[in-house]
Amino acid sequence: MNELVLPPSDISREITDYGRLVAGYVYHQNFPEVLLSDPDHVMIKSSDPADFDTKFKQLKPWTAEDRYFAEIDGRFLVAARFLVPLALIERRPVEWIQIMEPKSLDGTFDYFGVEYAEFFYQDFDKARLMLDKNKIEYSKKADEDHSWLNIRINNQGQEIRITDKLLAETIDSEVESGRARPLPSQY
């Protein structure tokens, strides 16, 4: 008998709900939709280490061998590529997911669930001009491996991020530097 591997329903629902939130934000704020043409990945924030472990185990059969582990600011992060891309917003599939532990043990500084999706758009100057023209507030941020434009879409802390570098490229850089490592297939 063949088994159909379906995504975990709670994670799939969170991604769908976030996609609806983004669609509503785009509509009401006159957000330049072209910036959302290439979804790169979604970030799911777990509520605690046990939730992180649960989400990771739920996703394992649904992700390809491309799975990576990193520790960022004392928190665990796993990045994985889906076996089959998931529709984030209409006709725009996302291929990667990240799961991260919360910033604080008591959860006072975090949104739990899909905190953001990152969309690839190579021309940052053009992206900033479009956001400025439409009076969309954003901040420019960067870490060691990439930069992004951060747009808060609600008071709960959910965001849209526009990046100039794909997650796969960022992971390659992190693996090369030793900040991330591929997860063996048994994990």
Side-chain angles (χ1 to χ4, degrees), residues 34-143:
V34 68
L35 296 177
L36 306 179
S37 296
D38 194 2
D40 184 53
H41 69 277
V42 293
M43 166 63 80
I44 294 182
K45 187 77 64 74
S46 62
S47 58
D48 57 37
D51 184 43
F52 175 86
D53 188 56
T54 299
K55 281 181 170 47
F56 175 67
K57 286 177 181 171
Q58 286 177 331
L59 282 172
K60 184 180 177 189
W62 196 40
T63 57
E65 291 298 313
D66 295 333
R67 293 180 298 126
Y68 301 88
F69 171 83
E71 188 174 338
I72 299 173
D73 302 327
R75 301 178 285 159
F76 292 146
L77 172 106
V78 169
R81 188 167 51 89
F82 295 129
L83 287 169
V84 176
L86 182 69
L88 175 62
I89 49 181
E90 190 176 337
R91 297 180 311 277
R92 295 185 182 122
V94 64
E95 292 188 7
W96 286 86
I97 188 167
Q98 289 185 316
I99 302 170
M100 181 180 267
E101 288 184 312
K103 291 178 186 169
S104 60
L105 292 177
D106 63 1
T108 56
F109 301 112
D110 291 298
Y111 176 86
F112 304 123
V114 177
E115 182 179 16
Y116 64 84
E118 208 162 278
F119 296 84
F120 176 74
Y121 194 84
Q122 194 164 357
D123 189 341
F124 256 27
D125 291 332
K126 188 174 179 182
R128 287 175 24 197
L129 285 171
M130 284 187 267
L131 292 171
D132 289 341
K133 179 182 176 188
N134 290 11
K135 296 181 173 77
I136 305 292
E137 290 185 33
Y138 65 91
S139 58
K140 184 175 180 187
K141 299 192 175 192
D143 61 20

Side-chain angles (χ1 to χ4, degrees), residues 168-186:
E169 295 171 37
T170 301
I171 289 171
D172 287 345
S173 176
E174 290 174 344
V175 167
E176 189 175 300
S177 71
R179 288 187 307 278
R181 68 178 191 264
L183 280 170
S185 60
Q186 70 264 28

